[in-house]
Every structure is written in structure tokens, then in C-alpha cells.
């Protein structure tokens, strides 16, 4: 339903009631003494409905403002009958609900849902809820005195809305307790056989249905909000012959728990590198780390381990870079994770495996890992200090045996 149609529908329901119909529908202010001395713009419901039908209002807000004006004029005019003034005060509460519906307030919190419940009860069931809009609606002074003696905690819809806006309810249960108090007070004060008890029962049933629907919506919205706050599940990063997923790497840890140390590690590693491409790659990894891309430390290690493959052509930086990386991992107690990911294998050996795939089958055996090859010595056995265990030393390189 569009905004103006919503206003028209609500007004037509309201003017079926005696007080709005008799006091605010088509009264003629020209017969009232000094009326224009206090009121600059007369307004009534007949004119509001006519303006809607004629397309006079450009926005629903303009129509709502004229509805407010009807009740405000009644309060502004000093010679308004006290009974009419009381009605104007009561129905201003109704007008506030009309404004809320027209502005289409989104139910972002349980308080919004609660206000929407009261709004719907006031606008859609005004024939029954008119007696609950404000304190003492329709009561004579004598009845008001008796009511205060019988009912120790009076409550009405206007007060409930005020409490919601002033954050006086801790949760939706506290709001519901006051809403139930409104109808319970009515049943307690009136005789069981009276019309008002039946009205209270009908309103109570409508409220319980609306509350149940609202609680389901709130629970669903809350669940959705919590799922959005959870970090997105990031699949473990993989490389050929590289890191295993979490659960398969012994001693692996969530990156969140080590984020600060890993950022310092990256800064130190960047400082020790002479390669501009390596430094740029480390900056990218730092951003990815801050954005939560690496769920586990093994993902982080895999990303850093891949970097030497992207360095400038002809630069032999792999050995030095990996040596520095290993020292820093050891410094922060994370080297065992890398060893579990790459048992007895350096990045040189990984590159060797890739190189083999590009050679004819007859030449693949001429490439051997540094962990089993002697640099500058015999190709068959023997030992040399120039090659460290596992091929992890500085200056290590692939050896082609001819």
C-alpha cells in the first residue's frame, strides 16, 4: 500500500468513531469566536480525504502533517470544549503511529519491532484500541478516582511508546509485560460481562499474535546479523606440493592469534630484502593478513613461500630470502609449522620438481635436489661444506649433472 493510500485508509477507519466524526470531520470554524486569531490554517478530515483524492499532496508526509494540524488546532484554540481537547490529546498518539507507518521505519532492532506492533494495533484495530491510546480515555472524574484506587499500575499504549523511545525496557519481554498490563487492567476494573472486557480480550489476542510474529522476525534477523559478523570461512591456500589444510599440519594456529607477530615478521623480512618485487609482495601479504584472508598460519607461510618465484629475472634471491624467513619463523616459534608443511624440502627442491616436468623424460634424472647433491665436488657420494642439510643454506642453487 502506497503512503497516501495508507493515510486514506487509516483516516477512514478513524472517522467511523464517534469522537473524530463529531469533532474533527467537517466542523465549520467560521462560526467559532476568534478562531482565526489563534489558528492560521483550519483543517478537518473531510478536507484531508478530499486533498488525497484530488492529488493535492505531493508526498504522504504532507497529508500526515495536515492530520496533525487538525488535533493541534483544537488544542491551540483557547475556547475549545474540554472534552474535544481531551480527544485531541488522545488522537495525537494515534497520529504518531500513522506517521511511523507512512515513513516506513525499518525494523532493525527489537524496539523497532515493538513500536511496529503498537502502530499496527492502533491503526488497524482503532475501533477497539481507541480506549487504550492514553490514560483515562472516556472516564468521568468520578471513575478516574475509583480507577486509581483499584489499579495500582496504570498503563496505556501512549506510555508504552514513550517508554520504548526513552529506552526504559531492557528487552522485548519487559515491553510485552506492559502491553499485557494495559488489557489486564481493563479486565480487572470492568465487570466481566461488559463490552470493555470483550474489547480487552480481542486486543490481547491480536497483540499475542503480533508478538509471536515479531519474535520470530527478531530471532531470524539476530541470527543473520551474527553470521555476518563471523569471519568468512577462507579455504586453506594451496600450492603444488605445498601446504596442507588446517588439521593436517601439526601445530598449526589461527592467524588471528599471531597477527601482530606476523606483521612484525613481514616488516623485518621486507627490511632484509634487496628485491623491490619481493618487498611489494610482502606489502600485499600484509594487507591480506590485516583483512583476514589467511585463516591459519600455514596459509600465511604458504603465501610467503611462493614469493621468490616472482622475483626479477636473473636474481638469485631464493636461498637468502628463505634463510631469513626461517630465522624469523624460529624467532616467533613458528618454524615447526613450516617444517611440517615442507618436510625435508626447500623452495629450491620445489622449483627443481617443477623444472623436471618441463624436461624430456631422458633428461629428468640429470636434475637432483641439493639435499642429495654435492656442490663443487664429486657427483657420487662425498660431502661438501658448501651445501647445507636439506639445501636450506645461503647461496644454495640447483645443480645439473652432465
Amino acid at each position: 500500500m502506497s503512503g497516501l493510500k495508507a493515510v486514506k485508509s487509516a483516516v477512514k477507519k478513524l472517522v467511523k468513531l464517534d469522537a473524530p466524526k463529531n469533532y474533527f470531520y467537517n466542523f465549520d470554524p467560521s462560526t467559532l469566536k476568534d478562531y482565526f486569531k489563534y489558528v492560521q490554517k483550519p483543517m478537518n478530515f473531510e478536507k484531508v480525504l478530499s486533498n488525497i483524492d484530488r492529488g493535492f499532496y505531493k508526498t504522504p508526509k504532507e497529508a500526515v502533517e495536515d492530520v496533525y494540524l487538525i488535533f493541534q488546532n483544537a488544542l491551540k484554540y483557547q475556547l475549545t470544549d474540554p472534552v474535544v481537547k481531551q480527544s485531541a490529546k488522545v488522537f495525537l498518539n494515534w497520529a504518531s503511529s500513522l506517521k511511523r507507518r507512512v515513513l516506513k521505519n525499518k525494523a532493525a532492532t527489537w524496539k523497532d519491532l515493538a513500536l511496529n506492533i503498537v502502530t499496527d494495533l492502533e491503526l488497524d484495530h482503532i475501533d477497539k484500541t481507541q480506549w487504550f491510546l492514553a490514560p483515562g480515555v472516556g472516564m468521568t472524574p468520578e471513575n478516574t478516582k475509583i480507577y486509581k484506587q483499584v489499579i495500582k499500575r496504570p498503563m496505556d499504549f501512549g506510555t508504552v511508546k514513550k517508554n520504548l523511545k526513552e529506552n526504559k525496557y531492557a528487552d522485548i519481554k519487559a515491553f510485552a509485560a506492559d502491553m499485557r498490563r494495559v488489557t489486564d487492567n481493563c479486565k480487572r476494573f470492568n465487570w466481566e460481562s461488559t463490552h470493555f472486557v470483550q474489547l480487552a480480550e480481542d486486543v490481547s489476542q491480536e497483540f499475542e499474535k503480533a508478538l509471536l510474529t515479531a519474535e520470530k522476525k527478531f530471532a531470524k534477523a539476530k541470527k543473520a546479523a551474527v553470521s555476518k559478523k563471523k569471519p568468512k570461512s577462507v579455504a586453506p591456500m594451496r600450492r603444488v606440493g605445498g601446504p596442507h589444510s588446517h588439521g593436517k599440519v601439526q601445530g598449526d594456529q589461527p592467524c588471528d592469534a599471531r597477527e601482530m607477530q606476523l606483521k612484525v615478521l613481514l616488516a623485518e623480512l621486507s627490511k632484509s630484502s634487496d628485491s623491490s618485487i619481493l618487498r611489494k609482495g610482502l606489502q600485499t601479504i600484509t594487507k591480506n593478513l590485516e583483512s583476514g584472508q589467511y585463516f591459519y598460519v600455514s596459509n600465511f607461510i604458504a603465501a610467503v613461500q611462493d614469493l621468490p618465484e616472482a622475483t626479477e629475472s636473473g636474481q638469485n634471491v631464493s636461498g637468502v630470502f628463505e634463510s631469513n624467513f626461517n630465522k624469523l619463523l624460529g624467532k616467533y616459534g613458528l618454524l615447526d609449522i613450516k617444517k611440517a608443511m615442507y618436510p625435508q624440502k626447500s623452495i629450491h627442491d620445489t622449483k627443481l620438481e617443477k623444472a623436471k616436468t618441463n624436461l624430456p623424460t631422458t633428461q629428468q634424472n640429470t636434475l637432483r635436489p641439493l639435499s642429495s647433491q654435492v656442490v663443487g665436488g664429486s657427483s657420487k657420494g662425498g660431502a661438501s661444506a658448501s651445501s647445507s642439510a636439506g639445501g636450506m643454506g645461503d647461496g644454495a642453487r640447483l645443480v645439473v649433472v652432465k
Side-chain angles (χ1 to χ4, degrees):
M1 185 183 294
S2 67
L4 285 170
K5 284 184 178 180
V7 175
K8 183 177 180 179
S9 175
V11 168
K12 290 182 80 172
K13 287 180 181 179
L14 183 70
V15 296
K16 288 180 180 179
L17 308 180
D18 289 340
K21 182 178 180 180
N22 295 334
Y23 306 148
F24 310 113
Y25 183 67
N26 59 357
F27 72 96
D28 183 8
S30 62
T31 62
L32 300 176
K33 182 182 178 181
D34 296 332
Y35 186 81
F36 292 96
K37 180 180 178 181
Y38 301 99
V39 177
Q40 284 72 44
K41 182 184 177 182
M43 188 57 59
N44 59 45
F45 282 123
E46 184 180 41
K47 188 172 182 179
V48 169
L49 291 172
S50 175
N51 286 345
I52 292 174
D53 290 338
R54 292 187 297 111
F56 177 80
Y57 299 121
K58 294 181 180 179
T59 65
K61 185 179 178 182
E62 293 177 353
V64 173
E65 287 173 351
D66 273 357
V67 169
Y68 266 90
L69 194 59
I70 294 171
F71 305 124
Q72 290 167 344
N73 286 347
L75 296 173
K76 192 181 293 184
Y77 179 52
Q78 291 189 353
L79 300 179
T80 299
D81 185 282
V83 176
V84 177
K85 275 194 173 183
Q86 181 60 28
S87 275
K89 290 179 181 178
V90 169
F91 290 113
L92 272 173
N93 282 323
W94 170 89
S96 69
S97 288
L98 178 61
K99 182 180 180 180
R100 180 176 180 80
R101 174 173 286 183
V102 168
L103 295 180
K104 297 180 180 178
N105 294 63
K106 292 183 179 180
T109 67
W110 70 263
K111 292 175 187 176
D112 296 323
L113 287 167
L115 281 168
N116 286 349
I117 290 175
V118 185
T119 294
D120 293 343
L121 287 173
E122 290 186 351
L123 298 182
D124 299 336
H125 306 281
I126 188 59
D127 57 322
K128 298 172 182 177
T129 58
Q130 60 175 310
W131 308 104
F132 309 124
L133 295 178
V137 176
M139 285 190 181
T140 63
E142 184 180 351
N143 280 342
T144 300
K145 185 177 180 180
I146 298 172
Y147 188 86
K148 289 180 179 179
Q149 293 173 353
V150 177
I151 304 300
K152 302 304 179 184
R153 285 195 62 187
M155 189 55 59
D156 59 88
F157 288 176
T159 301
V160 170
K161 289 193 292 185
K162 184 173 181 287
N163 289 346
L164 280 167
K165 291 172 183 176
E166 293 178 356
N167 299 316
K168 290 187 177 180
Y169 296 127
D171 51 36
I172 200 166
K173 291 181 180 179
F175 153 75
D178 266 0
M179 287 294 287
R180 293 180 181 122
R181 186 170 286 110
V182 174
T183 51
D184 288 347
N185 286 348
C186 179
K187 295 175 191 176
R188 184 179 179 188
F189 183 73
N190 295 282
W191 297 105
E192 284 191 19
S193 59
T194 64
H195 174 60
F196 290 107
V197 172
Q198 186 57 52
L199 285 178
E201 186 61 36
D202 291 345
V203 172
S204 178
Q205 290 178 9
E206 292 294 338
F207 168 70
E208 295 299 338
K209 285 193 294 185
L211 179 64
L212 182 61
T213 301
E215 286 178 329
K216 288 180 180 178
K217 284 183 178 179
F218 179 61
K220 186 177 180 180
K222 190 175 181 181
K223 186 177 180 180
V226 170
S227 64
K228 284 183 180 179
K229 289 181 181 179
K230 287 182 179 179
K232 293 182 179 179
S233 179
V234 179
M237 299 173 66
R238 294 179 179 273
R239 65 198 291 265
V240 178
H244 307 285
S245 61
H246 180 65
K248 294 183 179 179
V249 178
Q250 186 177 359
D252 207 354
Q253 303 173 28
C255 258
D256 288 347
R258 294 284 198 145
E259 183 176 340
M260 292 305 297
Q261 291 178 332
L262 295 178
K263 286 169 73 174
V264 174
L265 183 153
L266 287 170
E268 293 181 12
L269 193 57
S270 179
K271 189 176 180 180
S272 65
S273 175
D274 295 328
S275 167
S276 61
I277 292 182
L278 272 179
R279 289 195 298 271
K280 188 175 181 180
L282 291 170
Q283 289 175 2
T284 300
I285 291 176
T286 301
K287 290 179 181 179
N288 292 343
L289 179 66
E290 291 172 345
S291 66
Q293 181 172 328
Y294 309 124
F295 207 75
Y296 300 109
V297 172
S298 60
N299 303 145
F300 166 82
I301 292 174
V304 176
Q305 190 81 349
D306 277 334
L307 282 180
E309 298 177 12
T311 55
E312 294 94 336
S313 176
Q315 285 193 352
N316 186 16
V317 298
S318 299
V320 175
F321 179 83
E322 184 167 19
S323 177
N324 290 337
F325 185 36
N326 289 343
K327 288 176 183 177
L328 290 169
L329 286 174
K331 178 180 177 181
Y332 294 108
L334 301 173
L335 185 57
D336 287 342
I337 298 175
K338 182 172 180 286
K339 288 180 178 179
M341 293 166 63
Y342 305 96
Q344 301 300 316
K345 186 183 290 186
S346 71
I347 56 174
H348 310 292
D349 295 344
T350 303
K351 293 176 92 172
L352 182 144
E353 289 178 359
K354 290 183 178 180
K356 277 186 176 183
T357 62
N358 297 323
L359 290 175
T361 305
T362 55
Q363 297 183 27
Q364 287 185 6
N365 291 331
T366 62
L367 291 180
R368 295 175 186 170
L370 284 174
S371 53
S372 63
Q373 182 67 18
V374 178
V375 179
S378 172
S379 62
K380 296 182 180 180
S384 172
S386 62
S387 177
S388 62
M392 302 290 282
D394 290 355
R397 60 190 181 280
L398 300 179
V399 175
V400 179
V401 180
K402 297 183 179 178

